[in-house]
Amino acid sequence: MDISRFNDLDLADAAAVLRPCADIGRWIETILSARPFGSIDELLACAQNAADPFTEAEINVALAHHPRIGERAAGSSAEATLSRGEQSTLNLDGRIAAELLSGNRAYEERFERVFLIRAAGRSSEEILAELRRRLDNDPEAELAEVGEQLRAIALLRLDACFGRVPSS
């Protein structure tokens, strides 16, 4: 898709492009109301500003579409397809898979939400190290990190909608 086609889409179709990136109504509405965009970079800047910050309630809604790190997203939704692609390069051998499972459980017990991290461009070991590090965060610091990761994922996905290979 190119930016002029995105600008010309009706609201429902344009929202359908954005929703798999971050299913957050306010974020989608803010971007749609800013159309038309002169470039993809202008769209991405708007998306970044609209996501800064996501509220705790918005984060919790968006996390409903994210599987545990290290688990293959089920289904054929756009979100599941994107997630599988983002995690496709992870090496999930027995040890890593077991440690991620244990870490995910500890994280969910501590923070009552799924552990979210931008997997694209990261190794399994890096993700595991981040999971361990973030278990020591206080709830407020962790909420900020989750918001940052959600923004990064949303922007990577949005960039990919326009056929650009985002840098990790």
Side-chain angles (χ1 to χ4, degrees):
M1 174 179 310
D2 64 30
I3 197 66
S4 61
R5 177 151 162 36
F6 178 75
N7 287 333
D8 291 340
L9 291 174
D10 66 33
L11 283 176
D13 289 339
V17 169
L18 299 173
R19 192 161 286 108
C21 301
D23 194 0
I24 297 173
R26 179 196 54 81
W27 182 77
I28 292 169
E29 291 166 13
T30 299
I31 295 168
L32 294 178
S33 68
R35 291 188 305 167
F37 296 103
S39 68
I40 296 168
D41 289 331
E42 189 180 313
L43 166 62
L44 291 170
C46 176
Q48 170 66 39
N49 289 335
D52 193 13
F54 284 135
T55 67
E56 183 172 8
E58 290 170 334
I59 289 168
N60 290 336
V61 167
L63 287 181
H65 300 286
H66 287 271
R68 282 179 167 166
I69 193 76
E71 291 183 0
R72 187 168 173 82
S76 59
S77 70
E79 292 92 345
T81 301
L82 289 166
S83 179
R84 284 190 299 270
E86 292 158 0
Q87 292 194 43
S88 66
T89 60
L90 297 181
N91 174 14
L92 298 173
D93 66 23
R95 179 188 65 83
I96 293 284
E99 289 184 40
L100 281 174
L101 179 61
S102 174
N104 279 326
R105 286 181 180 151
Y107 181 94
E108 290 166 15
E109 186 175 304
R110 175 153 167 66
F111 296 110
E112 299 180 348
R113 70 171 60 90
V114 69
F115 172 71
L116 183 73
I117 189 167
R118 176 191 47 78
R122 287 193 165 115
S123 72
S124 302
E125 292 290 346
E126 288 173 296
I127 290 171
L128 189 55
E130 278 296 290
L131 174 55
R132 289 177 182 141
R133 180 190 66 77
R134 287 173 50 190
L135 278 167
D136 289 333
N137 280 347
D138 64 54
E140 197 171 292
E142 182 53 25
L143 181 62
E145 286 209 46
V146 172
E148 290 170 15
Q149 294 301 310
L150 186 58
R151 280 188 292 283
I153 292 166
L155 293 173
L156 285 171
R157 288 179 175 185
L158 184 55
D159 211 9
C161 288
F162 292 89
R164 299 187 343 168
V165 178
S167 61
S168 41

